[in-house]
Amino acid sequence: MPSPQTTDRTARGPGASAHPLAVPALAVTGVLVVGQLYAVLPVLGPVAADWDTDRSTAAWAVTAFAVAYAAGFLAWGPAADRYGPRRVILLGAPVTALLTAALPLAPDAVSGLALRALQGLAAASFAPAAFGYVAARVPAHRRVTAITWLTSSFLASAVIGQLAAQAVGQAAGWRWVFFAGALCLAAAALLLRFALAPDEAPADTAAGAPGGIPALLRTPGLPVLYGATATVLLGLVAVYGGLELAGPDGPAPDPDALLALRAGALPAMFAVPLLSGVLARSAPEARICASLAGAALTAALLAPFADAGPLAAGVLLALLAGCVAVAAPALVQAVGARAGRARATATALYTFALFVGAGAGPQLAAALSGRGFTAVAPGAAAVLALGCALSPALLRRPRRGE
C-alpha cells in the first residue's frame, strides 16, 4: 500500500487533472446506467402482455438485472484497476447501449430475462470504474464534491429512471423506453470518450487481480465500512417498498402519488452536492456516523407521522434521502482512503454491498408489511441504526486518507 506522501504526490501530479466536463458527464451517465435498473418498473404491465406472461414473471426483469449488476462489480472493479478506468467505461457503456436496444426485440420472457441479465452485467462496468477515475484524476480539493455528485446521481436514478420511463411509455410504448435509453447511453459514451483523460499505465498490475479482493477484506476498517454500506440502501428501499405495499393509503396506493413522494426526495439528493464544501470540513467517518444516525431517526419518525398527510411523509422522506445522500459519498471516501492503489476494486466491493442491500430492502418490506407500514418503518430504522452502530469503530482512522 502506498504511503500517504506517495498518494498525495499522485493526487497533485499532472495525471490527476480532469477535464471540466468529466464529472458532469460521469454524473449524467450514472443516472442513465443505474436508471436502467428501475426503468422497467412503470411498464411491467405492457412488458408482461407482449411477452405473453404474467406481471410476477415480468417482475423478474428487475431481479435478473439487479443480481447480474451486483455480481458484475466483482469482475469490473479489478479490471478497472488492471486496465484503467477509462478503458473499462468506454467498453462497458457502448455494450450496455447495444444490449438496451436489443431488449425490446426479445420475443418472450426467457430471452427478455436473459438480455436483462446481460444488460445488468454490462452496466456494472460503470460505477467502480467511475469511482476509480475520480479518485485518480480529480484533484484532492475537488474530490469530495465529485464523489458526492456521482453517488447522488446513482441515488437519483431510482426516481428519474421511473419518471422518464413512465412518461416515454405512456407517449410511445414500452419499447421506446429502452430504445430511447440506448440512444442516450450511446451519446453519453461518445461524450465520455472526449471528456475522460487517457489512462496512465498501472504501477502495480497485481492490484487489479481478483485475488486482491481477499486482501482488501483483511484491510483494517474496510469490512466494517462494507457492513455499514449494506445498510444504507437496504433501509431506504425498505421504506419505499413499505409505502408501496402497506403505505398509509393501504396496500394499493395511487402510483402517481407514490411517484410524487419519490420525486419529492430529488431536491434533497441534489442539494447535498452543493453542500459538499461544508461537509468536507469533517472527516468522512464522522459524516457516516451522523448521517446514518439521522437516517435511522427519520425512518423511525415515519411510522407515527406518515398518517399525518402527504406533506409530513414527503418532508420526512426528503430528510431520509438527504441523510442517505450524505452517507453514501462519505463511505466511498473512507473506502478509498484505505484501499491504496486498488481503488476501483475497493469501490466495486462498496457498490456490491450497496446494491446487495438495495436487493434485500424489498424483502424486508415484504416480510413486515403484513403488520402495516408502522412495522416496516421501525424495521428500516433498526437496519440504519445498525449501520450507525458500526460507525464508531471507524472514528479512529488507521492513517491519513487522500
Side-chain angles (χ1 to χ4, degrees):
M1 184 175 293
S3 67
Q5 291 80 9
T6 301
T7 304
D8 289 343
R9 282 197 305 271
T10 302
R12 291 193 298 265
S17 61
H19 191 284
L21 285 177
V23 173
L26 288 170
V28 170
T29 307
V31 172
L32 294 171
V33 171
V34 185
Q36 291 302 312
L37 172 61
Y38 308 100
V40 74
L41 289 172
V43 294
L44 278 177
V47 168
D50 281 357
W51 285 355
D52 194 23
T53 187
D54 53 55
R55 285 175 63 96
S56 60
T57 301
W60 277 93
V62 181
T63 304
F65 185 105
V67 170
Y69 187 61
F73 296 137
L74 303 182
W76 288 111
D81 280 325
R82 180 182 287 269
Y83 301 110
R86 182 180 185 271
R87 290 186 182 92
V88 167
I89 290 171
L90 295 185
L91 170 65
V95 173
T96 305
L98 287 172
L99 290 168
T100 302
L103 181 64
L105 306 178
D108 51 39
V110 173
S111 55
L113 294 179
L115 282 169
R116 276 290 281 179
L118 291 173
Q119 185 194 24
L121 190 63
S125 63
F126 180 76
F131 281 127
Y133 182 89
V134 167
R137 293 291 187 176
V138 176
H141 68 280
R142 293 176 48 216
R143 200 169 297 143
V144 173
T145 301
I147 290 173
T148 305
W149 274 114
L150 199 54
T151 55
S152 294
S153 76
F154 295 163
L155 296 173
S157 68
V159 178
I160 296 173
Q162 292 186 67
L163 291 173
Q166 181 173 317
V168 174
Q170 290 175 347
W174 76 268
R175 287 183 170 83
W176 273 101
V177 170
F178 297 98
F179 286 143
L183 290 172
C184 291
L185 284 165
L190 185 62
L191 175 60
L192 289 171
R193 185 174 186 85
F194 292 100
L196 300 184
D199 292 314
E200 294 178 318
D204 180 12
T205 56
I213 291 177
L216 285 169
L217 294 177
R218 293 192 298 269
T219 301
L222 280 181
V224 177
L225 282 167
Y226 294 137
T229 297
T231 69
V232 172
L233 285 188
L234 200 165
L236 181 68
V237 173
V239 165
Y240 279 114
L243 284 172
E244 187 160 350
L245 294 172
D249 297 329
D254 181 1
D256 291 334
L258 280 178
L259 279 178
L261 283 175
R262 293 186 178 106
L266 284 176
M269 292 178 179
F270 288 124
V272 170
L274 301 177
L275 300 173
S276 58
V278 176
L279 295 172
R281 297 173 188 171
S282 59
E285 292 81 5
R287 278 179 272 141
I288 294 167
C289 189
S291 58
L292 287 177
L297 176 61
T298 305
L301 289 174
L302 271 166
F305 282 97
D307 289 327
L311 179 60
V315 169
L316 288 171
L317 285 170
L319 289 173
L320 177 60
C323 289
V324 167
V326 172
L331 284 159
V332 174
Q333 190 182 2
V335 165
R338 291 163 169 79
R341 292 189 178 276
R343 285 178 296 237
T345 304
T347 52
L349 287 170
Y350 156 85
T351 319
F352 175 78
L354 191 71
F355 281 93
V356 164
Q363 305 304 319
L364 177 63
L368 298 177
S369 62
R371 300 180 181 180
F373 187 70
T374 53
V376 177
V383 169
L384 292 163
L386 174 61
C388 179
L390 294 172
S391 303
L394 301 170
L395 293 179
R396 182 175 296 176
R397 304 180 71 188
R399 65 177 179 86
R400 185 174 180 84
E402 293 180 339

